[in-house]
């Protein structure tokens, strides 16, 4: 099981950044995008770039029309709701009257002609990296390749004065950057293409990079401050967005570029599957990217050094099998071994391996526990047309039993991650019950 980080993820990002607005003094839908006109290369390229940016994820409500907005997002502490805007070219309700300059200002600088300062749930700190050529192609697509939808934007359900947006300018001044991606002359063209996609349109750091006290990404690129934290993993939307750096146990240190390409294209490898929030990203975005771009992304990610190059996690030793972990052995045999096999090796292309699984080995056991409690399913893609499902065990097993199985799995077959307590399982059960 693997959660690299999606629509539900972006929902939580919106809530988190709404809370930032408050701190500063203000504050899974599936859809098919419109088919662009084949004769217009800018529109076709823009459609591809919109896939890379996964724009449809946040701007399409469940059961709604593509890009018409209306996705509800609950604010923390019951303050209210915000709704994603209509970004179709409808001239009344959408962006049909926007100039290119206004479109560029919204995407790359977070300033809307209708709303003013945007919440950074719209990942404009990453989109600032997009080149002018790609911005023009995106503009062409949204103006000429998307079906206009006359759907009024729902106003925010936030009481005054928390609905004021001007304090977001302070956040922008402190944390947003203004800089188109500039290729690194020391790197190959393929590496630079991968960096451009990951740092910019892919906005991977929005989920996979830890955040600071004002919910800003601690670094937006490998060369920035705290560069070693870039893509090093973070909790978001009650999932753990995985460490994408070169750590052997809980990162991508054991992966080949070809395996990463297969994962992003199909949602699985012979021994590994994506679950959770990242399934939406693969379904709506990465499976549609070209093989060249997927290889470029893989090359860039594989170039990132480990977070903990000298730690024990990169020098595996025989784990200590505690009493709690030992108690999990018969429970694992009864509830898990039929699919994941006695030695955690799984069944190739059917059930993922648990042995040396990065998700299992991450210091944060959230994904392992959540999957055991609530189950999950793999993503349906062209390369994986028959998704598999894992049943939920939370109704059958109590918190102590789940903790014992998780501890056993995280201490077996070369895995070396901390044991799990029943109290931790109880907290995760409560926190993920309705997610």
């Amino acid at each position: 099981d693997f959660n690299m980080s999606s629509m539900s993820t972006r929902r939580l990002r919106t809530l988190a950044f709404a809370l930032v607005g408050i701190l500063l003094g203000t504050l899974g839908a599936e859809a098919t995008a419109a088919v662009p006109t084949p004769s217009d290369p800018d529109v076709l390229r823009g459609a591809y770039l919109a896939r890379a940016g996964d724009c449809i994820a946040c701007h399409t409500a469940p059961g709604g029309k593509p890009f018409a907005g209306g996705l509800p997002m609950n604010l923390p502490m019951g303050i209210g709701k915000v709704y994603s805007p209509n970004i179709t070219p409808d001239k009344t309700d959408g962006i049909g009257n926007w100039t290119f300059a206004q479109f560029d200002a919204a995407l790359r600088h977070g300033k809307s002609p209708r709303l003013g300062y945007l919440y950074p749930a719209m990942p404009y700190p990453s989109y600032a990296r997009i080149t002018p050529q790609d911005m023009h192609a995106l503009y062409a697509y949204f103006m000429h390749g998307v079906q206009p939808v006359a759907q009024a934007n729902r106003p925010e359900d936030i009481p005054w004065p928390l609905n004021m947006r001007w304090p977001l300018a302070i956040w922008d001044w402190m944390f947003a950057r203004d800089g188109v991606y500039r290729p690194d002359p020391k790197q190959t063209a393929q590496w630079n293409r991968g960096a451009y996609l990951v740092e910019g349109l892919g906005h991977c750091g929005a989920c996979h990079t830890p955040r600071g006290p004002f919910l800003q990404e601690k670094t937006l690129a490998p060369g920035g401050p705290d560069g070693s934290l870039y893509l090093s993993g973070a909790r978001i939307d009650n999932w753990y967005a995985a460490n994408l750096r070169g750590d052997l146990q809980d990162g991508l240190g054991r992966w080949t570029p070809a395996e990463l390409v297969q994962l992003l294209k199909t949602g699985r490898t012979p021994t590994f599957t994506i679950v959770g929030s990242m399934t939406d990203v693969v379904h709506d975005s990465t499976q549609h990217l070209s093989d060249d771009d997927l290889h470029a992304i893989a090359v860039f990610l594989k170039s990132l050094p480990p977070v903990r190059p000298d730690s024990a996690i990169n020098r595996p030793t025989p784990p200590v099998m505690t009493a709690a972990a030992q108690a999990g052995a018969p429970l694992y045999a009864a509830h898990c071994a039929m699919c994941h096999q006695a030695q955690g090796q799984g069944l190739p292309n059917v059930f993922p391996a648990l042995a040396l699984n990065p998700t299992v080995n991450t210091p944060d056991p959230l994904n392992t526990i959540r999957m055991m409690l609530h189950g999950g399913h793999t993503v349906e893609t062209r390369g994986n047309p028959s998704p598999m499902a894992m049943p939920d065990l939370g109704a059958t097993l109590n918190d102590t039993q789940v903790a014992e199985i998780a501890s056993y799995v995280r201490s077996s077959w070369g895995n070396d991650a901390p044991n799990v307590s029943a109290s931790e399982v109880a907290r995760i059960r409560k926190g993920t019950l309705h997610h």
Side-chain angles (χ1 to χ4, degrees):
D1 303 327
F2 188 46
N3 181 266
M4 296 176 68
S5 134
S6 57
M7 182 166 56
S8 58
T9 296
R10 288 158 176 78
R11 290 176 186 171
L12 184 80
R13 255 197 344 258
T14 298
L15 308 188
F17 283 117
L19 181 58
V20 170
I22 294 171
L23 292 172
L24 292 175
T26 178
L27 198 226
E30 292 186 6
T32 301
V35 178
T37 305
S39 60
D40 190 330
D42 280 342
V43 173
L44 286 171
R45 176 158 179 76
Y48 179 84
L49 296 169
R51 285 287 197 185
D54 202 8
C55 306
I56 202 169
C58 288
H59 290 279
T60 306
K65 294 184 178 180
F67 303 116
L71 183 70
M73 304 174 189
N74 293 311
L75 299 179
M77 300 176 287
I79 292 172
K81 293 182 180 179
V82 294
Y83 301 86
S84 61
N86 182 340
I87 58 170
T88 74
D90 183 82
K91 293 184 180 297
T92 301
D93 300 315
I95 63 173
N97 288 321
W98 284 20
T99 65
F100 172 76
Q102 291 172 325
F103 182 82
D104 181 80
L107 258 69
R108 299 200 312 111
H109 306 292
K111 296 176 183 177
S112 163
R114 183 176 69 87
L115 297 172
Y117 286 100
L118 298 175
Y119 297 115
M122 216 292 285
Y124 61 85
S126 295
Y127 290 168
R129 309 290 268 171
I130 301 175
T131 64
Q133 296 88 340
D134 283 350
M135 284 299 302
H136 280 284
L138 282 166
Y139 182 71
Y141 170 63
F142 278 102
M143 292 300 163
H144 306 294
V146 172
Q147 182 69 34
V149 178
Q151 176 174 303
N153 290 287
R154 296 190 62 173
E156 299 167 347
D157 180 18
I158 310 170
W160 185 89
L162 301 178
N163 60 352
M164 293 189 298
R165 291 176 178 253
W166 64 263
L168 293 171
I170 302 173
W171 193 95
D172 287 357
W173 175 75
M174 294 175 63
F175 304 119
R177 63 183 176 188
D178 181 14
V180 171
Y181 179 81
R182 299 190 181 281
D184 184 344
K186 297 179 181 179
Q187 301 289 348
T188 66
Q190 185 180 46
W191 184 97
N192 276 293
R193 176 63 177 172
Y196 174 66
L197 290 169
V198 169
E199 294 179 19
L201 279 165
H203 58 283
C204 304
C207 293
H208 292 272
T209 298
R211 295 187 177 272
F214 292 99
L215 303 180
Q216 81 282 9
E217 291 180 45
K218 288 191 174 181
T219 182
L220 288 168
D226 293 329
S228 64
L229 296 179
Y230 181 65
L231 301 182
S232 62
R235 277 199 180 200
I236 187 166
D237 196 21
N238 284 305
W239 288 99
Y240 186 81
N243 175 5
L244 302 183
R245 299 181 69 92
D247 297 85
L248 288 174
Q249 290 288 86
D250 68 331
L252 301 180
R254 299 179 189 274
W255 288 69
T256 66
E259 289 173 326
L260 287 174
V261 170
Q262 183 179 5
L263 189 71
L264 293 172
K265 196 172 189 67
T266 69
R268 69 179 310 141
T269 71
T271 60
F272 204 75
T273 60
I274 282 177
V275 295
S277 298
M278 189 65 187
T279 58
D280 292 325
V281 178
V282 173
H283 182 272
D284 294 331
S285 180
T286 61
Q287 72 159 322
H288 303 283
L289 299 185
S290 69
D291 287 349
D292 286 345
D293 277 350
L294 291 176
H295 278 285
I297 290 171
V299 166
F300 172 72
L301 291 178
K302 285 294 294 179
S303 75
L304 300 178
V307 183
R308 299 170 294 273
D310 299 321
S311 70
I313 202 166
N314 286 315
R315 292 178 281 103
T317 57
V320 176
M321 187 68 69
T322 64
Q326 291 174 352
L331 291 169
Y332 175 86
H335 297 279
C336 313
M338 180 177 294
C339 295
H340 295 287
Q341 304 299 291
Q343 299 301 311
Q345 73 271 31
L347 289 177
N349 295 307
V350 182
F351 301 116
L354 301 180
L356 300 179
N357 184 305
T359 296
V360 171
N361 278 285
T362 188
D364 190 330
L366 173 59
N367 293 356
T368 299
I369 294 172
R370 179 166 179 167
M371 287 299 296
M372 291 177 62
L373 289 174
H374 306 302
H377 61 85
T378 60
V379 59
E380 180 179 354
T381 61
R382 291 192 297 264
N384 181 39
S386 301
M388 301 292 294
M390 175 175 170
D392 65 301
L393 301 177
T396 304
L397 303 175
N398 61 37
D399 295 340
T400 298
Q401 292 171 319
V402 171
E404 289 171 345
I405 294 176
S407 297
Y408 173 72
V409 169
R410 285 159 62 86
S411 301
S412 301
W413 322 303
N415 297 333
D416 188 8
N419 279 192
V420 174
S421 67
S423 61
E424 190 165 17
V425 174
R427 287 195 299 272
I428 293 174
R429 186 193 293 267
K430 181 179 179 180
T432 60
L433 187 60
H434 300 295
H435 291 268

